[in-house]
Short mmCIF file of all heavy atoms in Angstrom, two decimals:
data_model
loop_
_atom_site.label_atom_id
_atom_site.label_comp_id
_atom_site.label_asym_id
_atom_site.label_seq_id
_atom_site.Cartn_x
_atom_site.Cartn_y
_atom_site.Cartn_z
N VAL A 1 12.79 -12.90 3.11
CA VAL A 1 12.48 -12.58 1.72
C VAL A 1 12.77 -11.11 1.48
O VAL A 1 12.31 -10.25 2.21
CB VAL A 1 11.02 -12.89 1.38
CG1 VAL A 1 10.70 -12.47 -0.04
CG2 VAL A 1 10.72 -14.37 1.62
N THR A 2 13.53 -10.83 0.46
CA THR A 2 13.84 -9.45 0.12
C THR A 2 12.80 -8.91 -0.85
O THR A 2 12.54 -9.51 -1.89
CB THR A 2 15.23 -9.35 -0.54
OG1 THR A 2 16.20 -9.89 0.35
CG2 THR A 2 15.58 -7.91 -0.85
N SER A 3 12.20 -7.81 -0.49
CA SER A 3 11.20 -7.21 -1.37
C SER A 3 11.86 -6.20 -2.29
O SER A 3 12.77 -5.48 -1.90
CB SER A 3 10.13 -6.52 -0.53
OG SER A 3 9.25 -5.81 -1.38
N SER A 4 11.38 -6.15 -3.52
CA SER A 4 11.91 -5.18 -4.47
C SER A 4 11.12 -3.87 -4.43
O SER A 4 11.40 -2.96 -5.16
CB SER A 4 11.85 -5.75 -5.88
OG SER A 4 10.52 -6.02 -6.25
N VAL A 5 10.14 -3.81 -3.54
CA VAL A 5 9.32 -2.61 -3.47
C VAL A 5 10.08 -1.52 -2.72
O VAL A 5 10.52 -1.75 -1.60
CB VAL A 5 7.99 -2.90 -2.76
CG1 VAL A 5 7.14 -1.65 -2.65
CG2 VAL A 5 7.22 -3.98 -3.50
N PRO A 6 10.24 -0.37 -3.33
CA PRO A 6 10.97 0.70 -2.66
C PRO A 6 10.16 1.32 -1.53
O PRO A 6 8.93 1.26 -1.53
CB PRO A 6 11.20 1.72 -3.78
CG PRO A 6 10.04 1.50 -4.71
CD PRO A 6 9.76 0.03 -4.66
N ARG A 7 10.82 1.89 -0.57
CA ARG A 7 10.13 2.59 0.52
C ARG A 7 9.76 4.00 0.11
O ARG A 7 8.86 4.61 0.68
CB ARG A 7 11.02 2.63 1.76
CG ARG A 7 11.39 1.26 2.28
CD ARG A 7 12.21 1.37 3.55
NE ARG A 7 11.41 1.83 4.66
CZ ARG A 7 10.67 1.03 5.43
NH1 ARG A 7 10.65 -0.25 5.19
NH2 ARG A 7 9.98 1.51 6.42
N VAL A 8 10.52 4.53 -0.84
CA VAL A 8 10.25 5.88 -1.32
C VAL A 8 10.09 5.80 -2.83
O VAL A 8 10.87 5.12 -3.51
CB VAL A 8 11.39 6.84 -0.95
CG1 VAL A 8 11.15 8.22 -1.54
CG2 VAL A 8 11.53 6.94 0.57
N CYS A 9 9.10 6.48 -3.36
CA CYS A 9 8.81 6.41 -4.78
C CYS A 9 9.95 6.99 -5.61
O CYS A 9 10.38 8.13 -5.36
CB CYS A 9 7.53 7.20 -5.06
SG CYS A 9 7.09 7.23 -6.81
N PRO A 10 10.48 6.24 -6.57
CA PRO A 10 11.56 6.78 -7.42
C PRO A 10 11.07 7.85 -8.40
O PRO A 10 11.86 8.57 -8.97
CB PRO A 10 12.07 5.54 -8.16
CG PRO A 10 10.92 4.60 -8.18
CD PRO A 10 10.16 4.85 -6.89
N ASP A 11 9.76 7.93 -8.59
CA ASP A 11 9.22 8.91 -9.52
C ASP A 11 9.04 10.28 -8.88
O ASP A 11 9.42 11.30 -9.44
CB ASP A 11 7.87 8.43 -10.06
CG ASP A 11 8.04 7.28 -11.04
OD1 ASP A 11 9.18 7.07 -11.51
OD2 ASP A 11 7.05 6.60 -11.33
N CYS A 12 8.44 10.30 -7.70
CA CYS A 12 8.10 11.59 -7.10
C CYS A 12 8.66 11.77 -5.71
O CYS A 12 8.53 12.85 -5.13
CB CYS A 12 6.58 11.79 -7.10
SG CYS A 12 5.74 10.77 -5.87
N GLY A 13 9.28 10.71 -5.13
CA GLY A 13 9.85 10.85 -3.81
C GLY A 13 8.85 10.71 -2.68
O GLY A 13 9.19 10.91 -1.53
N GLY A 14 7.60 10.38 -3.03
CA GLY A 14 6.57 10.22 -2.01
C GLY A 14 6.74 8.91 -1.26
O GLY A 14 7.48 8.03 -1.67
N ALA A 15 6.04 8.80 -0.15
CA ALA A 15 6.09 7.59 0.65
C ALA A 15 5.31 6.47 -0.04
O ALA A 15 4.21 6.70 -0.54
CB ALA A 15 5.49 7.86 2.03
N VAL A 16 5.93 5.29 -0.08
CA VAL A 16 5.26 4.12 -0.63
C VAL A 16 4.63 3.36 0.52
O VAL A 16 5.32 2.88 1.43
CB VAL A 16 6.25 3.22 -1.40
CG1 VAL A 16 5.55 1.97 -1.91
CG2 VAL A 16 6.86 4.00 -2.56
N LEU A 17 3.32 3.25 0.51
CA LEU A 17 2.57 2.69 1.63
C LEU A 17 1.89 1.39 1.23
O LEU A 17 1.46 1.24 0.09
CB LEU A 17 1.50 3.69 2.09
CG LEU A 17 2.02 5.08 2.49
CD1 LEU A 17 0.84 5.99 2.81
CD2 LEU A 17 2.96 4.98 3.67
N PRO A 18 1.76 0.46 2.19
CA PRO A 18 1.01 -0.76 1.90
C PRO A 18 -0.47 -0.46 1.72
O PRO A 18 -1.04 0.37 2.43
CB PRO A 18 1.26 -1.64 3.13
CG PRO A 18 1.67 -0.71 4.20
CD PRO A 18 2.33 0.47 3.53
N VAL A 19 -1.08 -1.12 0.74
CA VAL A 19 -2.51 -0.97 0.50
C VAL A 19 -3.21 -2.14 1.18
O VAL A 19 -2.89 -3.30 0.93
CB VAL A 19 -2.83 -0.96 -1.00
CG1 VAL A 19 -4.34 -0.80 -1.23
CG2 VAL A 19 -2.07 0.16 -1.70
N VAL A 20 -4.15 -1.82 2.06
CA VAL A 20 -4.87 -2.85 2.81
C VAL A 20 -6.26 -2.99 2.21
O VAL A 20 -7.02 -2.02 2.10
CB VAL A 20 -4.96 -2.48 4.30
CG1 VAL A 20 -5.76 -3.52 5.06
CG2 VAL A 20 -3.56 -2.35 4.89
N PHE A 21 -6.57 -4.22 1.81
CA PHE A 21 -7.89 -4.50 1.24
C PHE A 21 -8.79 -5.12 2.31
O PHE A 21 -8.33 -5.62 3.33
CB PHE A 21 -7.77 -5.43 0.04
CG PHE A 21 -7.04 -4.81 -1.11
CD1 PHE A 21 -5.69 -5.05 -1.31
CD2 PHE A 21 -7.69 -3.95 -1.98
CE1 PHE A 21 -5.00 -4.47 -2.36
CE2 PHE A 21 -7.02 -3.36 -3.04
CZ PHE A 21 -5.67 -3.63 -3.22
N GLY A 22 -10.05 -5.10 2.03
CA GLY A 22 -11.02 -5.64 2.98
C GLY A 22 -11.70 -4.52 3.74
O GLY A 22 -11.34 -3.35 3.64
N PHE A 23 -12.71 -4.86 4.50
CA PHE A 23 -13.44 -3.85 5.26
C PHE A 23 -12.59 -3.42 6.45
O PHE A 23 -12.27 -4.24 7.30
CB PHE A 23 -14.78 -4.41 5.74
CG PHE A 23 -15.64 -3.34 6.34
CD1 PHE A 23 -16.36 -2.48 5.54
CD2 PHE A 23 -15.72 -3.20 7.72
CE1 PHE A 23 -17.15 -1.49 6.09
CE2 PHE A 23 -16.51 -2.21 8.29
CZ PHE A 23 -17.23 -1.36 7.47
N PRO A 24 -12.20 -2.15 6.49
CA PRO A 24 -11.28 -1.71 7.53
C PRO A 24 -11.96 -1.51 8.88
O PRO A 24 -13.07 -0.98 8.95
CB PRO A 24 -10.75 -0.38 6.98
CG PRO A 24 -11.84 0.12 6.11
CD PRO A 24 -12.53 -1.09 5.54
N GLY A 25 -11.28 -1.89 9.92
CA GLY A 25 -11.74 -1.62 11.27
C GLY A 25 -11.21 -0.26 11.73
O GLY A 25 -10.50 0.42 10.98
N PRO A 26 -11.57 0.14 12.95
CA PRO A 26 -11.13 1.46 13.46
C PRO A 26 -9.63 1.63 13.45
O PRO A 26 -9.13 2.72 13.17
CB PRO A 26 -11.67 1.47 14.90
CG PRO A 26 -12.77 0.46 14.91
CD PRO A 26 -12.42 -0.58 13.89
N GLU A 27 -8.88 0.55 13.74
CA GLU A 27 -7.43 0.67 13.78
C GLU A 27 -6.87 0.98 12.40
O GLU A 27 -5.91 1.75 12.25
CB GLU A 27 -6.82 -0.62 14.32
CG GLU A 27 -7.19 -0.87 15.77
CD GLU A 27 -7.58 -2.32 16.00
OE1 GLU A 27 -7.24 -3.16 15.16
OE2 GLU A 27 -8.23 -2.59 17.02
N LEU A 28 -7.47 0.36 11.36
CA LEU A 28 -6.98 0.62 10.01
C LEU A 28 -7.32 2.05 9.57
O LEU A 28 -6.53 2.69 8.90
CB LEU A 28 -7.58 -0.39 9.03
CG LEU A 28 -6.96 -1.79 9.08
CD1 LEU A 28 -7.65 -2.70 8.08
CD2 LEU A 28 -5.47 -1.74 8.79
N PHE A 29 -8.50 2.52 9.96
CA PHE A 29 -8.82 3.91 9.62
C PHE A 29 -7.83 4.87 10.27
O PHE A 29 -7.38 5.84 9.67
CB PHE A 29 -10.25 4.25 10.08
CG PHE A 29 -11.30 3.88 9.08
CD1 PHE A 29 -12.31 2.99 9.39
CD2 PHE A 29 -11.29 4.45 7.81
CE1 PHE A 29 -13.29 2.66 8.46
CE2 PHE A 29 -12.26 4.12 6.87
CZ PHE A 29 -13.27 3.23 7.21
N GLU A 30 -7.49 4.59 11.52
CA GLU A 30 -6.53 5.47 12.22
C GLU A 30 -5.15 5.40 11.56
O GLU A 30 -4.48 6.42 11.41
CB GLU A 30 -6.44 5.07 13.69
CG GLU A 30 -7.70 5.43 14.45
CD GLU A 30 -7.60 5.00 15.92
OE1 GLU A 30 -6.50 4.60 16.35
OE2 GLU A 30 -8.63 5.07 16.60
N ALA A 31 -4.74 4.18 11.17
CA ALA A 31 -3.43 4.05 10.52
C ALA A 31 -3.43 4.80 9.20
O ALA A 31 -2.43 5.44 8.83
CB ALA A 31 -3.11 2.57 10.30
N ALA A 32 -4.54 4.76 8.48
CA ALA A 32 -4.62 5.48 7.21
C ALA A 32 -4.57 6.99 7.44
O ALA A 32 -3.93 7.72 6.68
CB ALA A 32 -5.91 5.10 6.48
N GLU A 33 -5.20 7.45 8.51
CA GLU A 33 -5.17 8.88 8.80
C GLU A 33 -3.78 9.33 9.22
O GLU A 33 -3.41 10.48 9.00
CB GLU A 33 -6.18 9.21 9.90
CG GLU A 33 -7.62 9.15 9.40
CD GLU A 33 -8.59 9.62 10.47
OE1 GLU A 33 -8.16 9.93 11.59
OE2 GLU A 33 -9.81 9.65 10.17
N ARG A 34 -3.02 8.42 9.81
CA ARG A 34 -1.64 8.75 10.19
C ARG A 34 -0.69 8.66 9.01
O ARG A 34 0.50 8.94 9.15
CB ARG A 34 -1.16 7.81 11.30
CG ARG A 34 -1.81 8.06 12.65
CD ARG A 34 -1.02 7.39 13.76
NE ARG A 34 -0.99 5.94 13.58
CZ ARG A 34 -1.84 5.09 14.16
NH1 ARG A 34 -2.79 5.53 14.93
NH2 ARG A 34 -1.74 3.79 13.95
N GLY A 35 -1.19 8.20 7.86
CA GLY A 35 -0.33 8.09 6.69
C GLY A 35 0.53 6.86 6.69
O GLY A 35 1.59 6.84 6.07
N GLU A 36 0.12 5.82 7.41
CA GLU A 36 0.91 4.60 7.49
C GLU A 36 0.49 3.57 6.45
O GLU A 36 1.28 2.73 6.04
CB GLU A 36 0.79 3.99 8.90
CG GLU A 36 1.37 4.91 9.96
CD GLU A 36 1.08 4.40 11.37
OE1 GLU A 36 0.38 3.38 11.50
OE2 GLU A 36 1.54 5.06 12.32
N ILE A 37 -0.76 3.61 6.06
CA ILE A 37 -1.28 2.66 5.07
C ILE A 37 -2.24 3.40 4.14
O ILE A 37 -2.63 4.54 4.41
CB ILE A 37 -2.04 1.48 5.73
CG1 ILE A 37 -3.28 2.01 6.46
CG2 ILE A 37 -1.16 0.67 6.65
CD1 ILE A 37 -4.28 0.92 6.80
N LEU A 38 -2.62 2.72 3.06
CA LEU A 38 -3.69 3.21 2.20
C LEU A 38 -4.79 2.17 2.20
O LEU A 38 -4.54 0.96 2.24
CB LEU A 38 -3.17 3.42 0.77
CG LEU A 38 -2.14 4.54 0.60
CD1 LEU A 38 -1.52 4.47 -0.79
CD2 LEU A 38 -2.80 5.90 0.81
N LEU A 39 -6.03 2.62 2.14
CA LEU A 39 -7.16 1.70 2.11
C LEU A 39 -7.52 1.42 0.66
O LEU A 39 -7.77 2.33 -0.12
CB LEU A 39 -8.36 2.30 2.85
CG LEU A 39 -8.11 2.55 4.35
CD1 LEU A 39 -9.33 3.22 4.97
CD2 LEU A 39 -7.78 1.26 5.07
N GLY A 40 -7.53 0.13 0.31
CA GLY A 40 -7.74 -0.25 -1.09
C GLY A 40 -9.17 -0.64 -1.42
O GLY A 40 -9.46 -1.00 -2.55
N GLY A 41 -10.05 -0.58 -0.45
CA GLY A 41 -11.43 -0.98 -0.71
C GLY A 41 -11.66 -2.43 -0.32
O GLY A 41 -10.77 -3.13 0.15
N CYS A 42 -12.88 -2.88 -0.56
CA CYS A 42 -13.27 -4.18 -0.03
C CYS A 42 -12.82 -5.33 -0.91
O CYS A 42 -12.84 -6.48 -0.47
CB CYS A 42 -14.77 -4.23 0.18
SG CYS A 42 -15.72 -4.01 -1.32
N CYS A 43 -12.44 -5.03 -2.13
CA CYS A 43 -12.12 -6.12 -3.05
C CYS A 43 -10.62 -6.21 -3.28
O CYS A 43 -9.97 -5.24 -3.61
CB CYS A 43 -12.83 -5.92 -4.38
SG CYS A 43 -14.62 -5.95 -4.23
N MET A 44 -10.06 -7.39 -3.11
CA MET A 44 -8.64 -7.63 -3.34
C MET A 44 -8.33 -7.46 -4.82
O MET A 44 -9.07 -7.91 -5.68
CB MET A 44 -8.32 -9.05 -2.90
CG MET A 44 -6.86 -9.38 -2.93
SD MET A 44 -5.96 -8.67 -1.53
CE MET A 44 -4.30 -9.13 -1.97
N GLU A 45 -7.20 -6.81 -5.08
CA GLU A 45 -6.75 -6.67 -6.46
C GLU A 45 -5.46 -7.44 -6.65
O GLU A 45 -4.61 -7.45 -5.78
CB GLU A 45 -6.48 -5.20 -6.79
CG GLU A 45 -7.74 -4.35 -6.89
CD GLU A 45 -7.34 -2.92 -7.22
OE1 GLU A 45 -6.23 -2.69 -7.71
OE2 GLU A 45 -8.16 -2.03 -6.96
N GLY A 46 -5.31 -8.05 -7.80
CA GLY A 46 -4.04 -8.67 -8.14
C GLY A 46 -3.79 -9.93 -7.35
O GLY A 46 -4.68 -10.52 -6.75
N ASP A 47 -2.52 -10.31 -7.32
CA ASP A 47 -2.14 -11.61 -6.79
C ASP A 47 -1.62 -11.56 -5.36
O ASP A 47 -1.44 -12.60 -4.74
CB ASP A 47 -1.05 -12.22 -7.67
CG ASP A 47 -1.53 -12.45 -9.08
OD1 ASP A 47 -2.73 -12.71 -9.24
OD2 ASP A 47 -0.72 -12.35 -10.01
N GLY A 48 -1.30 -10.40 -4.86
CA GLY A 48 -0.68 -10.37 -3.55
C GLY A 48 -0.71 -8.98 -2.98
O GLY A 48 -1.43 -8.12 -3.47
N PRO A 49 0.13 -8.77 -1.96
CA PRO A 49 0.17 -7.45 -1.32
C PRO A 49 0.53 -6.36 -2.32
O PRO A 49 1.36 -6.55 -3.19
CB PRO A 49 1.27 -7.61 -0.26
CG PRO A 49 1.34 -9.08 0.00
CD PRO A 49 1.00 -9.74 -1.32
N VAL A 50 -0.13 -5.24 -2.18
CA VAL A 50 0.07 -4.12 -3.08
C VAL A 50 0.55 -2.93 -2.27
O VAL A 50 0.09 -2.70 -1.16
CB VAL A 50 -1.27 -3.76 -3.78
CG1 VAL A 50 -1.11 -2.53 -4.66
CG2 VAL A 50 -1.76 -4.94 -4.60
N ARG A 51 1.50 -2.20 -2.85
CA ARG A 51 1.92 -0.95 -2.24
C ARG A 51 1.74 0.17 -3.25
O ARG A 51 1.88 -0.03 -4.45
CB ARG A 51 3.40 -1.03 -1.81
CG ARG A 51 3.57 -1.96 -0.62
CD ARG A 51 5.02 -2.26 -0.37
NE ARG A 51 5.14 -3.38 0.57
CZ ARG A 51 5.33 -3.20 1.89
NH1 ARG A 51 5.42 -2.00 2.38
NH2 ARG A 51 5.41 -4.24 2.67
N GLU A 52 1.42 1.34 -2.74
CA GLU A 52 1.10 2.46 -3.63
C GLU A 52 1.78 3.72 -3.13
O GLU A 52 1.82 3.97 -1.92
CB GLU A 52 -0.42 2.64 -3.69
CG GLU A 52 -0.85 3.72 -4.67
CD GLU A 52 -2.37 3.75 -4.81
OE1 GLU A 52 -2.96 2.71 -5.13
OE2 GLU A 52 -2.94 4.82 -4.56
N CYS A 53 2.27 4.50 -4.08
CA CYS A 53 2.86 5.79 -3.74
C CYS A 53 1.78 6.74 -3.26
O CYS A 53 0.75 6.91 -3.93
CB CYS A 53 3.57 6.38 -4.95
SG CYS A 53 4.16 8.05 -4.66
N ASN A 54 2.04 7.37 -2.12
CA ASN A 54 1.08 8.32 -1.58
C ASN A 54 1.07 9.62 -2.36
O ASN A 54 0.18 10.44 -2.22
CB ASN A 54 1.42 8.59 -0.10
CG ASN A 54 0.24 9.13 0.66
OD1 ASN A 54 -0.90 8.91 0.27
ND2 ASN A 54 0.51 9.85 1.72
N GLY A 55 2.08 9.82 -3.20
CA GLY A 55 2.19 11.06 -3.95
C GLY A 55 1.56 10.97 -5.33
O GLY A 55 0.70 11.76 -5.69
N CYS A 56 2.00 9.98 -6.12
CA CYS A 56 1.58 9.94 -7.52
C CYS A 56 0.70 8.73 -7.84
O CYS A 56 0.18 8.62 -8.94
CB CYS A 56 2.78 9.95 -8.45
SG CYS A 56 3.79 8.45 -8.38
N GLY A 57 0.56 7.80 -6.89
CA GLY A 57 -0.34 6.68 -7.12
C GLY A 57 0.28 5.51 -7.85
O GLY A 57 -0.41 4.55 -8.17
N ARG A 58 1.59 5.57 -8.11
CA ARG A 58 2.25 4.42 -8.73
C ARG A 58 2.16 3.21 -7.81
O ARG A 58 2.29 3.34 -6.61
CB ARG A 58 3.71 4.75 -9.01
CG ARG A 58 4.46 3.59 -9.66
CD ARG A 58 5.84 4.02 -10.08
NE ARG A 58 6.64 2.88 -10.50
CZ ARG A 58 7.89 2.95 -10.93
NH1 ARG A 58 8.48 4.13 -11.00
NH2 ARG A 58 8.54 1.88 -11.29
N ARG A 59 1.93 2.03 -8.42
CA ARG A 59 1.73 0.83 -7.61
C ARG A 59 2.79 -0.21 -7.85
O ARG A 59 3.33 -0.32 -8.94
CB ARG A 59 0.37 0.20 -7.91
CG ARG A 59 -0.77 0.91 -7.23
CD ARG A 59 -2.02 0.10 -7.30
NE ARG A 59 -3.04 0.70 -6.44
CZ ARG A 59 -4.20 0.11 -6.15
NH1 ARG A 59 -4.49 -1.05 -6.64
NH2 ARG A 59 -5.06 0.72 -5.35
N TRP A 60 3.10 -0.95 -6.78
CA TRP A 60 3.96 -2.13 -6.85
C TRP A 60 3.23 -3.29 -6.19
O TRP A 60 2.39 -3.09 -5.32
CB TRP A 60 5.27 -1.91 -6.10
CG TRP A 60 6.17 -0.89 -6.66
CD1 TRP A 60 7.25 -1.08 -7.48
CD2 TRP A 60 6.14 0.54 -6.44
NE1 TRP A 60 7.85 0.12 -7.77
CE2 TRP A 60 7.19 1.12 -7.15
CE3 TRP A 60 5.28 1.37 -5.70
CZ2 TRP A 60 7.45 2.49 -7.14
CZ3 TRP A 60 5.50 2.72 -5.69
CH2 TRP A 60 6.58 3.28 -6.41
N THR A 61 3.60 -4.49 -6.58
CA THR A 61 3.12 -5.64 -5.85
C THR A 61 4.31 -6.35 -5.21
O THR A 61 5.42 -6.34 -5.75
CB THR A 61 2.38 -6.64 -6.76
OG1 THR A 61 3.29 -7.12 -7.75
CG2 THR A 61 1.20 -5.97 -7.43
N ASP A 62 4.07 -6.95 -4.05
CA ASP A 62 5.12 -7.69 -3.37
C ASP A 62 5.32 -9.07 -3.95
O ASP A 62 6.31 -9.73 -3.67
CB ASP A 62 4.78 -7.82 -1.87
CG ASP A 62 4.97 -6.51 -1.15
OD1 ASP A 62 5.60 -5.61 -1.71
OD2 ASP A 62 4.47 -6.38 -0.03
N ALA A 63 4.37 -9.53 -4.74
CA ALA A 63 4.44 -10.89 -5.27
C ALA A 63 5.62 -11.00 -6.24
O ALA A 63 5.83 -10.14 -7.09
CB ALA A 63 3.15 -11.23 -5.98
N VAL A 64 6.38 -12.05 -6.09
CA VAL A 64 7.50 -12.32 -6.98
C VAL A 64 7.01 -13.26 -8.07
O VAL A 64 6.47 -14.32 -7.80
CB VAL A 64 8.67 -12.94 -6.22
CG1 VAL A 64 9.80 -13.28 -7.19
CG2 VAL A 64 9.15 -12.01 -5.12
N ARG A 65 7.22 -12.85 -9.31
CA ARG A 65 6.73 -13.66 -10.42
C ARG A 65 7.86 -14.46 -11.02
O ARG A 65 8.97 -14.01 -11.04
CB ARG A 65 6.11 -12.77 -11.49
CG ARG A 65 4.90 -12.06 -10.96
CD ARG A 65 4.40 -11.06 -11.95
NE ARG A 65 3.35 -10.23 -11.35
CZ ARG A 65 2.08 -10.57 -11.33
NH1 ARG A 65 1.70 -11.70 -11.84
NH2 ARG A 65 1.20 -9.78 -10.76
ZN1 ZN B 101 5.21 8.66 -6.60
#
């Protein structure tokens, strides 16, 4: 499946990171500190996987509508 989500934000050039929902374990906290993911909190938002720009906060979803 080809995703339309860019790896780099077209607005600000920041890294686009996957947002992980749910209660994070130690590994997820470490990944977030390394800048590999963003923590989205305990409640799922939207219909599917979400990615967010680490620079400006612009969001994409992986779900194809
Ligand atoms: Zn951005």
